[in-house]
Amino acid sequence: MTSPRQTVLVVDDDPANLEALNAVLGTDYELVFATSGQEAVDLAREQRPDLILLDVVMPGMNGYQACLLLKGDEQTKGIPIIFVTAMDHEEDEAAGRDAGAIDYLAKPIHASIVKARVRNHLELKQARDLLESLSVTDGLTGLPNRRQFDATIDAEVRRA
Protein backbone atom coordinates (compact mmCIF):
# COMPACT_ATOMS: atom_id res chain seq x y z
CA MET A 1 0.00 0.00 0.00
CA THR A 2 1.39 3.41 -0.92
CA SER A 3 1.19 6.22 1.56
CA PRO A 4 -0.82 9.28 0.58
CA ARG A 5 1.11 12.27 -0.69
CA GLN A 6 1.68 15.03 1.81
CA THR A 7 -0.52 18.09 1.45
CA VAL A 8 0.82 21.64 1.15
CA LEU A 9 -1.50 24.65 1.37
CA VAL A 10 -0.18 27.45 -0.86
CA VAL A 11 -1.54 30.92 -0.06
CA ASP A 12 -0.95 33.91 -2.34
CA ASP A 13 -3.20 36.51 -3.93
CA ASP A 14 -1.13 36.58 -7.15
CA PRO A 15 -2.04 33.78 -9.61
CA ALA A 16 1.46 33.92 -11.15
CA ASN A 17 3.01 33.02 -7.78
CA LEU A 18 0.54 30.17 -7.31
CA GLU A 19 1.44 28.84 -10.75
CA ALA A 20 5.17 29.09 -10.01
CA LEU A 21 4.85 27.15 -6.76
CA ASN A 22 2.61 24.61 -8.47
CA ALA A 23 5.28 24.07 -11.14
CA VAL A 24 7.96 23.56 -8.47
CA LEU A 25 6.03 21.39 -5.99
CA GLY A 26 3.03 19.96 -7.86
CA THR A 27 4.67 16.69 -8.89
CA ASP A 28 5.84 15.81 -5.37
CA TYR A 29 2.98 16.97 -3.14
CA GLU A 30 -0.78 17.36 -3.09
CA LEU A 31 -1.30 21.13 -3.36
CA VAL A 32 -4.28 23.11 -2.13
CA PHE A 33 -4.54 26.80 -3.04
CA ALA A 34 -5.99 29.84 -1.29
CA THR A 35 -5.92 33.47 -2.37
CA SER A 36 -6.58 35.21 0.96
CA GLY A 37 -5.68 34.93 4.61
CA GLN A 38 -9.22 34.06 5.70
CA GLU A 39 -9.54 31.40 3.00
CA ALA A 40 -6.22 29.95 4.19
CA VAL A 41 -7.43 29.75 7.80
CA ASP A 42 -10.69 28.09 6.71
CA LEU A 43 -8.93 25.57 4.43
CA ALA A 44 -6.32 24.74 7.09
CA ARG A 45 -9.05 23.98 9.63
CA GLU A 46 -10.99 21.91 7.11
CA GLN A 47 -8.19 20.00 5.35
CA ARG A 48 -5.36 19.98 7.93
CA PRO A 49 -2.45 20.26 5.48
CA ASP A 50 1.01 19.03 6.42
CA LEU A 51 2.61 22.42 5.63
CA ILE A 52 1.52 25.95 4.70
CA LEU A 53 3.35 28.29 2.31
CA LEU A 54 1.98 31.73 3.15
CA ASP A 55 2.39 35.13 1.51
CA VAL A 56 2.48 38.16 3.80
CA VAL A 57 0.93 40.93 1.69
CA MET A 58 -2.68 40.12 0.83
CA PRO A 59 -5.88 42.14 0.84
CA GLY A 60 -7.98 41.87 3.98
CA MET A 61 -6.22 39.58 6.43
CA ASN A 62 -2.45 39.62 5.86
CA GLY A 63 -0.17 36.64 6.31
CA TYR A 64 1.01 37.62 9.78
CA GLN A 65 -2.59 37.83 11.01
CA ALA A 66 -3.45 34.49 9.38
CA CYS A 67 -0.38 32.90 10.96
CA LEU A 68 -1.32 34.18 14.42
CA LEU A 69 -4.85 32.78 14.02
CA LEU A 70 -3.55 29.40 12.86
CA LYS A 71 -1.00 29.16 15.68
CA GLY A 72 -3.64 30.14 18.25
CA ASP A 73 -6.03 27.37 17.16
CA GLU A 74 -5.67 23.89 18.74
CA GLN A 75 -6.58 22.24 15.43
CA THR A 76 -3.93 24.01 13.34
CA LYS A 77 -1.17 25.08 15.72
CA GLY A 78 1.03 22.11 14.80
CA ILE A 79 1.06 22.85 11.07
CA PRO A 80 4.41 24.35 10.07
CA ILE A 81 4.17 27.67 8.20
CA ILE A 82 6.76 29.02 5.79
CA PHE A 83 6.36 32.61 4.68
CA VAL A 84 7.06 33.10 0.97
CA THR A 85 7.09 36.83 0.33
CA ALA A 86 8.77 39.74 -1.39
CA MET A 87 9.25 41.40 2.01
CA ASP A 88 12.86 40.44 2.57
CA HIS A 89 14.16 42.73 5.30
CA GLU A 90 15.44 41.37 8.57
CA GLU A 91 12.55 43.01 10.47
CA ASP A 92 10.03 41.30 8.18
CA GLU A 93 11.56 37.89 8.83
CA ALA A 94 11.62 38.58 12.58
CA ALA A 95 7.92 39.53 12.46
CA GLY A 96 7.16 36.29 10.62
CA ARG A 97 9.00 34.19 13.17
CA ASP A 98 7.32 36.10 16.00
CA ALA A 99 3.94 35.26 14.44
CA GLY A 100 4.86 31.57 14.57
CA ALA A 101 6.41 30.74 11.19
CA ILE A 102 9.08 28.06 11.05
CA ASP A 103 10.88 29.53 8.01
CA TYR A 104 10.93 32.51 5.68
CA LEU A 105 11.63 32.54 1.91
CA ALA A 106 12.06 35.65 -0.23
CA LYS A 107 10.55 36.10 -3.67
CA PRO A 108 11.42 35.61 -6.43
CA ILE A 109 11.61 31.96 -5.46
CA HIS A 110 14.42 29.62 -6.41
CA ALA A 111 13.04 26.16 -7.19
CA SER A 112 15.85 24.16 -5.58
CA ILE A 113 15.68 26.16 -2.34
CA VAL A 114 11.88 25.91 -2.11
CA LYS A 115 11.99 22.15 -2.75
CA ALA A 116 14.71 21.61 -0.15
CA ARG A 117 13.05 23.70 2.55
CA VAL A 118 9.62 22.15 1.98
CA ARG A 119 11.08 18.62 2.00
CA ASN A 120 13.09 19.31 5.18
CA HIS A 121 10.19 20.83 7.09
CA LEU A 122 7.85 18.02 6.04
CA GLU A 123 10.38 15.43 7.23
CA LEU A 124 10.68 17.27 10.56
CA LYS A 125 6.89 17.36 10.90
CA GLN A 126 6.65 13.61 10.23
CA ALA A 127 9.25 12.94 12.91
CA ARG A 128 7.48 15.24 15.40
CA ASP A 129 4.14 13.55 14.69
CA LEU A 130 5.70 10.11 15.20
CA LEU A 131 7.31 11.14 18.49
CA GLU A 132 4.04 12.63 19.69
CA SER A 133 2.20 9.43 18.80
CA LEU A 134 4.80 7.26 20.55
CA SER A 135 4.65 9.43 23.66
CA VAL A 136 0.93 8.75 24.19
CA THR A 137 0.76 5.10 23.07
CA ASP A 138 1.83 1.93 24.84
CA GLY A 139 4.53 0.29 22.72
CA LEU A 140 3.37 -3.26 23.47
CA THR A 141 -0.41 -3.00 23.18
CA GLY A 142 -0.79 0.07 20.96
CA LEU A 143 -3.36 1.40 23.40
CA PRO A 144 -3.36 4.93 24.82
CA ASN A 145 -1.04 5.20 27.83
CA ARG A 146 -1.29 7.07 31.14
CA ARG A 147 -0.07 10.34 29.57
CA GLN A 148 -2.92 10.17 27.04
CA PHE A 149 -5.39 9.30 29.81
CA ASP A 150 -4.29 12.33 31.84
CA ALA A 151 -4.59 14.64 28.82
CA THR A 152 -8.01 13.25 27.92
CA ILE A 153 -9.39 13.48 31.45
CA ASP A 154 -8.08 17.05 31.75
CA ALA A 155 -9.75 18.03 28.46
CA GLU A 156 -13.04 16.41 29.51
CA VAL A 157 -13.04 18.12 32.89
CA ARG A 158 -12.48 21.51 31.17
CA ARG A 159 -15.24 20.72 28.66
CA ALA A 160 -17.69 19.79 31.42
Side-chain angles (χ1 to χ4, degrees), residues 121-134:
H121 287 300
L122 285 171
E123 286 175 3
L124 286 169
K125 183 179 185 304
Q126 272 187 319
R128 265 194 320 270
D129 290 349
L130 177 61
L131 286 172
E132 185 177 324
S133 173
L134 291 172

Side-chain angles (χ1 to χ4, degrees), residues 25-98:
L25 301 170
T27 58
D28 299 322
Y29 306 102
E30 188 70 35
L31 300 181
V32 179
F33 299 98
T35 57
S36 72
Q38 186 60 55
E39 185 182 5
V41 170
D42 295 341
L43 277 171
R45 287 177 179 155
E46 177 186 315
Q47 301 209 1
R48 305 266 176 83
D50 297 296
L51 179 76
I52 300 173
L53 298 176
L54 182 60
D55 187 20
V56 173
V57 180
M58 293 181 288
M61 181 188 303
N62 70 32
Y64 297 139
Q65 294 165 326
C67 185
L68 286 168
L69 277 176
L70 290 165
K71 291 301 176 180
D73 186 329
E74 279 298 314
Q75 295 177 352
T76 57
K77 73 179 183 181
I79 302 171
I81 297 173
I82 300 174
F83 279 115
V84 182
T85 181
M87 298 175 63
D88 63 352
H89 296 318
E90 186 177 336
E91 311 83 53
D92 300 322
E93 185 170 345
R97 292 188 191 276
D98 289 346

Side-chain angles (χ1 to χ4, degrees), residues 7 11-12 54 59-60 82 85 92-93 101 118 139 142 147 152 159:
T7 304
V11 187
D12 201 307
L54 182 60
I82 300 174
T85 181
D92 300 322
E93 185 170 345
V118 167
R147 179 178 287 135
T152 302
R159 188 173 65 95

Side-chain angles (χ1 to χ4, degrees), residues 9-23:
L9 173 57
V10 181
V11 187
D12 201 307
D13 61 327
D14 184 350
N17 293 331
L18 294 175
E19 288 176 25
L21 287 165
N22 184 43

